[in-house]
Amino acid sequence: PSWFNDGTQTRHWTLPPATVCVWPYEVMYGDDVRSGGRFDYDRRLAKAREFFKAIQPDKSLIFYYANYSNPFSEEESKRYVLVGLSRVKAIGGELFYEGCSDDVKEKYGGGFVWQRAITSHYPDQGLRLPYHVYRDRPDVLERIALFPENPRLCKYATRHFKDDDALGLVEGFLRVVRELQDLGDTTEDWSDRAHWLEELISELWRHRGLLPGMPAVLNVLSFQDAILFFKAKALEENELEARDSLFALVEGKTDNVSGMKTDATKIKSVRRQWKLRTKQEQKLLRDVLPRFSLRHDQILKILDEGRARNGITATLNAIADNPYILSEQYQGDDPDDFIPWGTIDRGMIPSPELGSNDLADVDDGRRFRALLVDALQREKAHVFVPADTIITAVNRRLAVLPEWKRFTFNERFLSADEELIREAVEIREEDKRIYLYLREVFEDERLLEERLRFLIGGPDIQLQTPVTDGVWDGFLYDAQSILARKAPEEYRAAVRKQVEACQQVFVRPLSVIAGEAGTGKTTVIRALIKAIKRGHGVGSSVIALAPTGKRDD
């Protein structure tokens, strides 16, 4: 860096095979690494060390992705694309620039380099998707391209995420591997890779456990002291027992939990907070939300009385009865803050190896509806989609899940679960074919239809001051126009037509002005804006919009 140029030397280091260099940019710009309005490099280095310490050789996984500047990303739809994954083999040492002055070392945490090497076990453990082989085969690329269900996982160059998120990504990789097997691709031994991914899914389920959301719930209850205790019990596969013991303590049914130190003052405070919760909130916190890998800020938004601000129109009782609603309705404070369908489905139908009861059957109507909603939300081109197209997308998604979660839906389920489905999805029949709308989109269309019909059928607008033909002529006629000089009669005739059009348009609540380029649309609109000031007064407000569209020929 330029501010190191006081004798500091360029730093070189050797990269082993299957190595990438990463740096946790997210933690480098947090408020907790600032001091007196400036970045504290000692704190930054401490945060980086904390980040890399969490990565465990021979245990942690590393997922590789390409940033927005990849061939699958478009200007209107920027997307990360996953490239591969592997098991971490080794973490490179901490690097410092050489020859730094004492001043630089003091200011910049010793002059540390913002990169550390992460070496993986690839090719023994891991895989790389062969996008490069199919650069000229868009039909194949469409089948094997893998995008993260939740883009926030790929933010800030590198970040840690939970076992539940990793499960979703690994399931996606397994889907692509199955596609490559069907294609007969030979760039890797895909049968071997599929077997590795299946074992990885089993491993991740054991690490995820049954109650991945319990630490976030404890955070919401301001019971942070219990989080480490719960995590330790989860590693011992005693998470259900730990949850029951902790809630018995919170609800005042017991005064201590075996193996956990308790502070009487803290317990009293937590119990008070619990009593301030409604019965519906208590049910969700105790029996429902611990099953899902949610952040504590998401839980707070779900429980908030103003949850409609985040898209949730359902009651807490409805959410308790059908947690899939969270994947259908939750909208966070930014586009990347949402609850994927997979996050809820993994909580509803966990691995049978964990020995717990399912909250839904594989053919559950609630599950089917949430899948329909998810597929419709992913549809970029249309809002009104043939049911068979959407159901095919749903079944394609389910087909690559572990065997205990697979199912094949058909259109008969639309009839069997019609009442439930219609709460979120409009079902229409046109020309003997069934189509699906998102309910909210359908209702928005009906609102627009109602308003447009009202405007079309409404009376003429009453003007404070009449706008005569002479006034319109003054607004529209341009004596400096080339046409006015070269073809005065034709130009006058064109202006008279424009005057007639303006007289008709100006008094109607809704009108459409159409015409090819150069026919005078802009001139007419300019005249209409001037006439608004004259007909309704100088203080009248005008909003001019210029919507654009694209057409594929």
Side-chain angles (χ1 to χ4, degrees), residues 90-140:
I91 305 171
E94 208 167 67
L95 301 171
F96 290 85
Y97 287 100
E98 298 174 349
C100 295
S101 67
D102 291 339
D103 185 51
V104 164
K105 289 181 179 179
E106 183 178 355
K107 287 182 179 179
Y108 300 109
F112 60 90
V113 178
W114 282 33
Q115 295 289 339
R116 284 184 69 175
I118 304 291
T119 301
S120 82
H121 278 287
Y122 182 84
D124 297 328
Q125 292 189 61
L127 60 93
R128 181 185 65 170
L129 299 182
Y131 297 131
H132 58 293
V133 176
Y134 300 101
R135 286 175 297 177
D136 300 324
R137 293 283 307 277
D139 57 321
V140 174

Side-chain angles (χ1 to χ4, degrees), residues 152-204:
R152 72 182 296 133
L153 300 179
C154 298
K155 297 286 188 181
Y156 302 105
T158 182
R159 70 192 319 183
H160 297 317
F161 48 84
K162 300 177 182 177
D163 294 314
D164 190 82
D165 293 315
L167 260 171
L169 295 183
V170 174
E171 288 173 353
F173 275 105
L174 183 58
R175 175 191 67 77
V176 174
V177 167
R178 298 296 189 205
E179 294 280 5
L180 289 165
Q181 286 179 300
D182 290 343
L183 288 166
D185 182 89
T186 58
T187 55
E188 295 206 32
D189 183 344
W190 295 116
S191 295
D192 181 65
R193 298 310 191 201
H195 180 69
W196 180 72
L197 289 171
E198 289 168 347
E199 290 185 337
L200 195 56
I201 287 172
S202 178
E203 176 187 330
L204 285 167

Side-chain angles (χ1 to χ4, degrees), residues 77-97:
S77 179
K78 295 185 180 299
R79 297 188 291 185
Y80 300 106
V81 61
L82 290 156
V83 177
L85 80 155
S86 187
R87 181 88 67 180
V88 173
K89 182 178 182 180
I91 305 171
E94 208 167 67
L95 301 171
F96 290 85
Y97 287 100

Side-chain angles (χ1 to χ4, degrees), residues 288-308:
V288 180
L289 295 178
R291 307 251 329 197
F292 311 112
S293 184
L294 303 176
R295 303 192 311 274
H296 84 279
D297 62 298
Q298 291 176 323
I299 294 177
L300 289 173
K301 292 168 190 171
I302 293 167
L303 299 178
D304 195 293
E305 291 182 359
R307 68 186 71 89

Side-chain angles (χ1 to χ4, degrees), residues 255-271:
D255 290 326
N256 58 73
V257 172
S258 177
M260 187 182 83
K261 293 182 179 179
T262 56
D263 179 274
T265 303
K266 181 62 179 178
I267 297 302
K268 183 177 181 181
S269 174
V270 170
R271 286 175 175 171

Side-chain angles (χ1 to χ4, degrees), residues 468-527:
T468 65
D469 287 358
V471 172
W472 284 114
D473 189 83
F475 289 156
L476 293 164
Y477 186 82
D478 181 7
Q480 304 302 316
S481 168
I482 295 176
L483 289 175
R485 296 197 302 272
K486 291 188 174 183
E489 292 185 8
E490 290 85 346
Y491 182 62
R492 271 292 179 188
V495 170
R496 281 196 297 272
K497 289 291 186 180
Q498 288 180 333
V499 169
E500 291 175 10
C502 286
Q503 285 285 36
Q504 294 178 25
V505 165
F506 193 60
V507 294
R508 296 302 301 151
L510 180 71
S511 299
V512 177
I513 299 172
E516 295 181 1
T519 54
K521 297 187 298 297
T522 301
T523 301
V524 168
I525 291 171
R526 189 183 300 118

